[in-house]
Amino acid sequence: MIKYLTLWKKEGQEEPYVSLTRKKMLIDGQEVLIEWEVGHSIRTLAMHRNAYKRMSQIQAFLGSVPQLTYQLYVTLISAEVPLGRAVLMVFSLISVTYGATLCNMLAIQIKYDDYKIRLGPLEVICITIWRTLEITSRLVILVLFSATLKLKAVPFLVLNFLIILFEPWVKFWRSGAQLPNNIEKNFSRVGTLVVLISVTILYAGINFSCWSAMQLKLADRDLVDKGQNWGHMGLHYSVRLVENVIMVLVFKYLGVKVLLNYCHSLIAVQLIIAYLISIGVMLLFFQYLHPLRSLFTHNVVDYLHCICCRRHHRERVENSETSCEADRRQSIV
């Protein structure tokens, strides 16, 4: 707020230090190079705004997610929702949804740093619906699973988190690369290691409740893989869907009837459908609403078509082998 007020007071004054910024922009499918002057105060304000976005993610996934999960668990056990708890849960959900939406925006900005990106209201609404359904269904399933198994659920949840936490480090170790240098000019080797550990913890916290929209790459100076990574996204949602189905089945068959006065089967079906709808909205965004979808070498339909082609080709090969074997037998006879 101080930076905003300082900039507002300087409105109309000529900046003594001005730099030129060049970005590409897609206009009617054509790349156009645009250039504009950026003052020192505007650049400082942008730096603070970017820091605020990252702080919002830390607050959302390391603060609001545990808070929302805990309040949902207490509500489920006590079977009552006081006004104060309801307000706290609503604000926590807004915080998590905002943080997840920022994940998508930051991922697009990092992967396409050379382009000036503008997200319209329809794109933001689509991302918000996708993230709200994904996070809500995932957290409710986790709470129902935890309420069913109590302490027996802790090893499963801890193991789940540890796998996400150590996955980037295992890939880094298998690649044989060294720790990236010059993440910050004034960072020592220990400082760089602390930054990498902190980023990995945040990455694991995000992926535990929803997709992080980017893949961590510790060997790279930018710390993220700038490829589209359809395979990584597909693997994440496939594994999460299987996990959610297993946890919902545990709740359905082992859940205590005292917890809820509703049909467990209906709750289970609704949660899985909500998660599937979130995946559908996500595919809709990447196929039709992504601001730079024209730069994709392959889109969602191409990826699904490729999988179907492989399956069809495999079936055709098996059928041809079967027919050849039958012809061979017939010729022998």
Side-chain angles (χ1 to χ4, degrees), residues 128-143:
T128 304
I129 294 173
W130 156 27
R131 291 306 198 174
T132 303
L133 289 173
E134 179 184 3
I135 293 170
T136 305
S137 57
R138 171 72 176 173
L139 292 184
V140 171
I141 290 173
L142 286 172
V143 168

Side-chain angles (χ1 to χ4, degrees), residues 144-157:
L144 294 176
F145 177 75
S146 302
T148 302
L149 296 184
K150 300 293 192 302
L151 291 177
K152 294 180 182 178
V154 174
F156 174 80
L157 300 178

Side-chain angles (χ1 to χ4, degrees), residues 71-225:
Q71 297 300 334
L72 283 171
Y73 183 83
V74 172
T75 302
L76 188 65
I77 297 300
S78 62
E80 59 179 2
V81 188
L83 178 61
R85 188 188 303 155
V87 172
L88 181 59
M89 291 167 61
V90 168
F91 275 102
S92 297
L93 180 60
I94 292 173
S95 173
V96 178
T97 306
Y98 177 68
T101 305
L102 280 181
C103 277
N104 285 88
M105 296 180 180
L106 289 174
I108 295 173
Q109 290 176 1
I110 292 172
K111 291 179 181 179
Y112 304 97
D113 188 48
D114 296 334
Y115 290 84
K116 186 174 179 61
I117 301 163
R118 292 178 180 174
L119 285 175
L122 186 60
E123 288 88 342
V124 175
I125 291 173
C126 183
I127 294 174
T128 304
I129 294 173
W130 156 27
R131 291 306 198 174
T132 303
L133 289 173
E134 179 184 3
I135 293 170
T136 305
S137 57
R138 171 72 176 173
L139 292 184
V140 171
I141 290 173
L142 286 172
V143 168
L144 294 176
F145 177 75
S146 302
T148 302
L149 296 184
K150 300 293 192 302
L151 291 177
K152 294 180 182 178
V154 174
F156 174 80
L157 300 178
V158 172
L159 180 63
N160 196 324
F161 183 81
L162 291 178
I163 290 174
I164 304 171
L165 181 65
F166 288 111
E167 181 222 355
W169 290 99
V170 171
K171 289 183 177 179
F172 172 74
W173 174 71
R174 291 182 63 184
S175 67
Q178 295 182 349
L179 289 176
N181 296 321
N182 300 324
I183 291 181
E184 287 291 342
K185 293 181 180 179
N186 57 345
F187 276 5
S188 63
R189 195 79 173 174
V190 177
T192 301
L193 186 61
V194 170
V195 169
L196 293 179
I197 293 173
S198 303
V199 170
T200 310
I201 293 174
L202 178 60
Y203 176 77
I206 296 172
N207 276 286
F208 188 74
S209 53
C210 66
W211 183 49
S212 61
M214 64 181 73
Q215 188 175 7
L216 207 58
K217 191 176 181 180
L218 299 178
D220 193 277
R221 184 181 180 276
D222 293 328
L223 301 181
V224 295
D225 188 355

